[in-house]
Amino acid sequence: MGRIVWLGHAAFYIEIDNHRILIDPWITNPLSPYRSLDTFTRHFPEIDLVIVTHDHGDHVGETVEILKKYGKARICAVYELAEELAKKAGAIERSIPANIGGPIRFEKLNIILTPAFHSSTIGAPTGVVIVGSKTTIYHAGDTGLFSEMQFIRELYSPTIALLPIGGHFTMGIREAVKAVEILKPRTVIPMHYNTFDVIRADPNEFAKLVKEKVPEANVVILEPGKEITIE
Ligand code: ZN
């Protein structure tokens, strides 16, 4: 058994097949229940892997501090970004520099960085697919809708999709509903909304539209700090 905890914005803590993973760990984002990394660490004493989808501040978050604090945690991101963050943390030996589309073996997991239609300064922006023994999770990162999501569906059939719905910088509700139509996950968790005024969105509106268009997909609206259990 594992779990997915939404920490607000695009930040998630994921336990899958006994691995503890942080994605886009902006732990102290305005929605997060954790106001400092110290408080977070008390609740989550071990991290094995940090995945960062791109180099924008609201996604890198406290990655460098986390790598310093969790001495065994490794960092996986697009090549240039993984190296940069690992170097900043004085942890170059824990870097897993990768690139889009190449399956990465991490212990029992397969991890694939996906394309993302977005911008970045260091390396290309990405999403990520985490393939576990029973559950496959797709975190879309910051992205607009793109047709290659069809390949993500065909190759990996994600059971759980974590999708941005806030608009302006990423998909809004309409685009994210289309992504659900393409990806056909069993469970969808909306993210990247209501952190700031410019990305205001109503997750209930998203859930209603998904129910109409893709009734087999179940939208789970999490409160920051709350979780779902996974296999
Ligand atoms: Zn971004």
Side-chain angles (χ1 to χ4, degrees), residues 49 74-78 82-83 92 94-98 104-106:
L49 179 67
R74 304 196 65 189
I75 165 77
C76 182
V78 78
E83 294 287 275
I92 199 71
R94 288 188 271 136
S95 172
I96 306 176
I104 305 150
R105 197 74 195 154
F106 179 79

Side-chain angles (χ1 to χ4, degrees), residues 17 67 130 180:
D17 293 348
L67 291 175
I130 300 170
V180 176

Side-chain angles (χ1 to χ4, degrees), residues 124-150:
T126 72
V128 63
V129 174
I130 300 170
V131 183
S133 58
K134 292 190 178 128
T135 300
T136 295
I137 301 160
Y138 170 47
H139 183 299
D142 274 4
T143 189
L145 182 70
F146 58 95
S147 58
E148 286 85 351
M149 281 183 185
Q150 183 63 43

Side-chain angles (χ1 to χ4, degrees), residues 77-92:
V78 78
Y79 200 100
E80 295 79 2
L81 181 58
E83 294 287 275
E84 172 78 11
L85 292 170
K87 214 180 286 168
K88 273 193 186 156
I92 199 71

Side-chain angles (χ1 to χ4, degrees), residues 54 56 58-59 118-119 142:
H54 64 295
H56 289 161
D58 56 323
H59 295 257
H118 196 61
S119 65
D142 274 4

Side-chain angles (χ1 to χ4, degrees), residues 17-213:
D17 293 348
N18 292 318
H19 301 304
R20 290 142 297 197
I21 301 172
L22 271 173
I23 304 182
D24 287 354
W26 185 21
I27 303 299
T28 59
N29 73 74
L31 299 180
S32 170
Y34 303 103
R35 298 322 318 148
S36 73
L37 192 54
D38 283 340
T39 335
F40 173 80
T41 306
R42 257 175 264 140
H43 287 85
F44 300 91
E46 289 186 80
I47 299 292
D48 303 306
L49 179 67
V50 181
I51 299 170
V52 178
T53 60
H54 64 295
D55 75 341
H56 289 161
D58 56 323
H59 295 257
V60 171
E62 286 92 12
T63 297
V64 172
E65 293 81 0
I66 289 165
L67 291 175
K68 287 181 183 166
K69 199 152 226 171
Y70 296 89
K72 286 187 193 147
R74 304 196 65 189
I75 165 77
C76 182
V78 78
Y79 200 100
E80 295 79 2
L81 181 58
E83 294 287 275
E84 172 78 11
L85 292 170
K87 214 180 286 168
K88 273 193 186 156
I92 199 71
E93 71 288 352
R94 288 188 271 136
S95 172
I96 306 176
N99 226 312
I100 292 169
I104 305 150
R105 197 74 195 154
F106 179 79
E107 309 278 338
K108 282 175 261 168
L109 304 172
N110 244 332
I111 295 172
I112 302 100
L113 299 181
T114 69
F117 266 30
H118 196 61
S119 65
S120 61
T121 306
I122 307 171
T126 72
V128 63
V129 174
I130 300 170
V131 183
S133 58
K134 292 190 178 128
T135 300
T136 295
I137 301 160
Y138 170 47
H139 183 299
D142 274 4
T143 189
L145 182 70
F146 58 95
S147 58
E148 286 85 351
M149 281 183 185
Q150 183 63 43
F151 291 143
I152 295 173
R153 158 75 191 165
E154 288 171 15
L155 282 169
Y156 311 116
S157 306
T159 37
I160 300 172
L162 316 176
L163 301 178
I165 65 161
H168 197 101
F169 305 109
T170 70
M171 296 188 282
I173 286 174
R174 189 176 175 197
E175 295 77 17
V177 171
K178 187 69 192 174
V180 176
E181 281 187 73
I182 297 170
L183 292 161
K184 296 187 177 62
R186 244 183 278 155
T187 303
V188 185
I189 299 174
M191 62 162 176
H192 212 276
Y193 66 96
N194 292 356
T195 325
F196 325 106
D197 276 344
V198 75
I199 57 169
R200 286 258 163 248
D202 179 1
N204 293 301
E205 171 74 11
F206 172 65
K208 192 180 133 234
L209 287 172
V210 169
K211 202 169 193 177
E212 281 169 26
K213 299 244 175 177

